[in-house]
Amino acid sequence: MKIKSIAIIVILLFIVTIVSYFTAEEKNPTLQYEDDPVESKDITDTEINELSTNRPEDFGANGFDNDPDTNSLQKAIDHSDTLLLKGGAKYIIDAPLESSHTITIKSEDSRPAMIIQRSSESALLINNVEKASTFVSKKIAYNQPYVELNDTKGIEPGDLIHLVSSKLWFWDNRGYLKKGEMHRVTKVEGKKVYLDTNTNGKYNVGKDESVTAKVYPQISLELSNVSFTHPTPLKTVMVRVSYTIDANINNVSVTNSKLLGIQLKNTYNSIVNNVKINLGTTKDITSGYGIQDWGGRGTLITNSTFARVRRGVDFSGDTPSRFGTVTHSKAYGYKDGVLASGNSGFGTHSTADNITFKNNYVKNFSYGFLSRGTNITVENNVHEGASRSFIAVSLGNHVNILNNSYKSINNSSLEGFIMLLDSYKGTIKASGNKIDGLNGPFIKGKTENLQDLTVKDNRVTTRQE
């Protein structure tokens, strides 16, 4: 009996000890933070397709110190359909940030966020991934609503299709720029792919020409209220956007990327509004474009400002840039000879078709505008200051120069209103222009080479040096 009593007492003491232990654990206070702690998200690879709204701080970034945030920003991009940057933050990176899916990148309030690229690389790359590549199987006529392909597997309505010919672009003088065009797919019926707009060119497929068809899924970009910069001017392309549909770039600034501020590479219906670009371009840079539309379609650039650039906006491409417009924008250059040759406020570069420059302001540059393309319209623009000519025309056809004005500053004058190079054999229409300060002919060059020339209702004030 005595042994049983002792055993019972031991068991009771053990039970009391266990109860006391758990009671004491429950009474321990939780740690209190003076500020809400930053929660780092641990997202596995299996969850990467579940995109959501995130902040770089969710992945460990700190936009208010001097440490690189490259990895944190890239992880945030990989897992976001919307990336909110902290207003007023300065995120430091040392490698390009990349995305291949639809994404919105913007400041979370009215204060712009800044991304500082310390290395001599791009800051942001939007790279759509090709989903299919095939060949056009039958010839294409002008204004045809569809193309017939060798294989339509995987092609869906909404996809972007890029047609690239084996033939050179008509006015190419460099040996590698091709005929071609871009469209959106509206319907697929067997081997026929229907397009949102009719074809722009004629392609003799099966005879002396072949045409590839590259297809890209529908992705887009919204980029707003963000600044990109290098600490000092570097030979880089700061932002490159490739094969997007309906991209929207608004209230963005770029500084110190001497080669190119923003490149829109084969994009479709991009809108760029209220962009400020200051590249720090020098004479050794033969590009120096604020924005380059490279083979895009339907690009609109408006209400934007360009400084220390060799050209504010340039339209060109491996296949033609089409139906682009620059309006209500400003470009500021230097006097003639400071930057690499061919510098101009706005212009086209050989592979360009149906481009319009309207209601813009240009100061200085060697030429106010440069035309190397077809169906180029320069209308109702103001050009001031030290320049050789209002426009230089060198390649292409159908150039219309309408209701523009040139104004002298500090007794500056033009060598010719139109600088006509011997390589241009097309048509020119120049009417309703007002020139205050001309120290040479209205057209400087061999007008006898032109197919057609219309000059009327222009007002000229000559000015002798």
Side-chain angles (χ1 to χ4, degrees), residues 4 37 52 91 148 322 336 347 353 358 368 388 407:
K4 285 185 178 181
S52 59
Y91 299 100
E148 292 193 53
R322 283 191 167 92
D336 182 38
D353 185 5
K358 189 172 183 178
R388 296 185 196 178
K407 297 181 181 180

Side-chain angles (χ1 to χ4, degrees), residues 66-125:
N66 290 318
D67 296 327
D69 298 307
T70 314
N71 292 336
S72 298
L73 280 163
Q74 187 59 60
K75 288 179 182 178
I77 288 171
D78 292 341
H79 296 91
S80 300
D81 54 21
T82 299
L83 179 62
L84 297 178
L85 305 178
K86 192 173 290 294
K90 295 181 179 180
Y91 299 100
I92 296 170
I93 61 173
D94 49 19
L97 304 174
E98 300 186 43
S99 176
S100 58
H101 62 267
T102 294
I103 191 167
T104 295
I105 302 175
K106 62 182 180 180
S107 171
E108 64 183 359
D109 58 36
S110 60
R111 297 171 299 164
M114 179 176 287
I115 294 178
I116 303 172
Q117 172 57 288
R118 284 182 174 174
S119 76
S120 56
E121 297 185 84
S122 298
L124 178 64
L125 303 173

Side-chain angles (χ1 to χ4, degrees), residues 156-175:
E156 302 171 301
D159 286 345
L160 195 59
I161 184 168
H162 186 192
L163 304 176
V164 183
S165 170
S166 60
K167 294 286 188 178
L168 296 178
W169 174 239
F170 307 111
W171 294 282
D172 172 62
N173 64 344
R174 285 167 284 175

Side-chain angles (χ1 to χ4, degrees), residues 348-361:
T348 63
H349 209 109
S350 186
T351 40
D353 185 5
N354 280 285
I355 305 298
T356 300
F357 303 100
K358 189 172 183 178
N359 298 321
N360 301 294
Y361 174 84

Side-chain angles (χ1 to χ4, degrees), residues 415-430:
E415 298 174 17
F417 181 69
I418 300 173
M419 190 75 69
L420 181 62
L421 278 71
D422 293 347
S423 54
Y424 186 78
K425 314 292 184 183
T427 70
I428 292 179
K429 180 180 180 180

Side-chain angles (χ1 to χ4, degrees), residues 65-262:
D65 62 13
N66 290 318
D67 296 327
D69 298 307
T70 314
N71 292 336
S72 298
L73 280 163
Q74 187 59 60
K75 288 179 182 178
I77 288 171
D78 292 341
H79 296 91
S80 300
D81 54 21
T82 299
L83 179 62
L84 297 178
L85 305 178
K86 192 173 290 294
K90 295 181 179 180
Y91 299 100
I92 296 170
I93 61 173
D94 49 19
L97 304 174
E98 300 186 43
S99 176
S100 58
H101 62 267
T102 294
I103 191 167
T104 295
I105 302 175
K106 62 182 180 180
S107 171
E108 64 183 359
D109 58 36
S110 60
R111 297 171 299 164
M114 179 176 287
I115 294 178
I116 303 172
Q117 172 57 288
R118 284 182 174 174
S119 76
S120 56
E121 297 185 84
S122 298
L124 178 64
L125 303 173
I126 305 298
N127 294 323
N128 199 351
V129 179
E130 180 184 303
K131 66 185 293 189
S133 181
T134 184
F135 294 92
V136 175
S137 58
K138 293 186 179 181
K139 68 179 183 179
I140 303 172
Y142 289 113
N143 295 316
Q144 188 169 297
Y146 65 86
V147 294
E148 292 193 53
L149 304 182
N150 184 56
D151 183 10
T152 58
K153 183 179 180 181
I155 301 176
E156 302 171 301
D159 286 345
L160 195 59
I161 184 168
H162 186 192
L163 304 176
V164 183
S165 170
S166 60
K167 294 286 188 178
L168 296 178
W169 174 239
F170 307 111
W171 294 282
D172 172 62
N173 64 344
R174 285 167 284 175
Y176 61 92
L177 303 177
K178 302 295 183 64
K179 288 171 56 183
E181 51 195 85
M182 294 179 62
H183 299 273
R184 289 188 74 176
V185 176
T186 59
K187 183 172 59 174
V188 180
E189 289 185 349
K191 300 297 184 181
K192 288 185 178 181
V193 173
Y194 286 83
L195 312 173
D196 61 334
T197 54
N198 291 352
T199 55
N200 301 111
K202 178 181 179 181
Y203 303 84
N204 293 317
V205 175
K207 295 183 179 180
D208 60 348
E209 186 173 9
S210 62
V211 178
T212 61
K214 299 179 180 181
V215 182
Y216 296 81
Q218 181 176 342
I219 74 164
S220 190
L221 166 71
E222 180 182 339
L223 181 64
S224 63
N225 211 21
V226 182
S227 298
F228 297 90
T229 189
H230 294 300
T232 58
L234 297 173
K235 294 182 179 180
T236 63
V237 177
M238 188 68 81
V239 176
R240 178 178 285 121
V241 181
S242 302
Y243 288 100
T244 58
I245 296 174
D246 298 331
N248 193 322
I249 299 175
N250 182 60
N251 194 29
V252 168
S253 69
V254 176
T255 56
N256 288 340
S257 55
K258 295 169 66 174
L259 295 181
L260 216 162
I262 299 173

Side-chain angles (χ1 to χ4, degrees), residues 221-428:
L221 166 71
E222 180 182 339
L223 181 64
S224 63
N225 211 21
V226 182
S227 298
F228 297 90
T229 189
H230 294 300
T232 58
L234 297 173
K235 294 182 179 180
T236 63
V237 177
M238 188 68 81
V239 176
R240 178 178 285 121
V241 181
S242 302
Y243 288 100
T244 58
I245 296 174
D246 298 331
N248 193 322
I249 299 175
N250 182 60
N251 194 29
V252 168
S253 69
V254 176
T255 56
N256 288 340
S257 55
K258 295 169 66 174
L259 295 181
L260 216 162
I262 299 173
Q263 184 183 54
L264 303 172
K265 187 176 184 295
N266 302 108
T267 67
Y268 196 91
N269 288 348
S270 295
I271 297 177
V272 180
N273 177 60
N274 192 28
V275 162
K276 295 178 175 59
I277 295 182
N278 188 325
L279 299 186
T281 300
T282 48
K283 193 170 185 175
D284 59 306
I285 303 299
T286 55
S287 52
Y289 307 134
I291 295 176
Q292 182 186 48
D293 183 272
W294 179 261
R297 186 184 181 99
T299 297
L300 172 63
I301 299 168
T302 185
N303 299 311
S304 295
T305 303
F306 306 90
R308 294 201 301 167
V309 294
R310 180 174 167 270
R311 185 168 303 140
V313 178
D314 178 80
F315 291 91
S316 52
D318 50 353
T319 58
S321 172
R322 283 191 167 92
F323 305 108
T325 300
V326 179
T327 182
H328 295 97
S329 295
K330 300 176 180 179
Y332 298 91
Y334 301 96
K335 65 181 182 179
D336 182 38
V338 174
L339 297 178
S341 63
N343 62 83
S344 63
F346 302 104
T348 63
H349 209 109
S350 186
T351 40
D353 185 5
N354 280 285
I355 305 298
T356 300
F357 303 100
K358 189 172 183 178
N359 298 321
N360 301 294
Y361 174 84
V362 175
K363 185 175 182 180
N364 300 329
F365 293 100
S366 292
Y367 311 102
F369 295 83
L370 178 67
S371 178
R372 294 181 62 176
T374 185
N375 301 309
I376 309 300
T377 298
V378 182
E379 183 176 4
N380 202 37
N381 301 283
V382 175
H383 179 207
E384 294 185 342
S387 293
R388 296 185 196 178
S389 67
F390 175 83
I391 186 170
V393 182
S394 64
L395 286 170
N397 204 354
H398 307 303
V399 176
N400 301 300
I401 308 162
L402 312 172
N403 303 315
N404 303 284
S405 66
Y406 169 77
K407 297 181 181 180
S408 174
I409 295 178
N410 298 325
N411 209 36
S412 64
S413 61
L414 303 176
E415 298 174 17
F417 181 69
I418 300 173
M419 190 75 69
L420 181 62
L421 278 71
D422 293 347
S423 54
Y424 186 78
K425 314 292 184 183
T427 70
I428 292 179

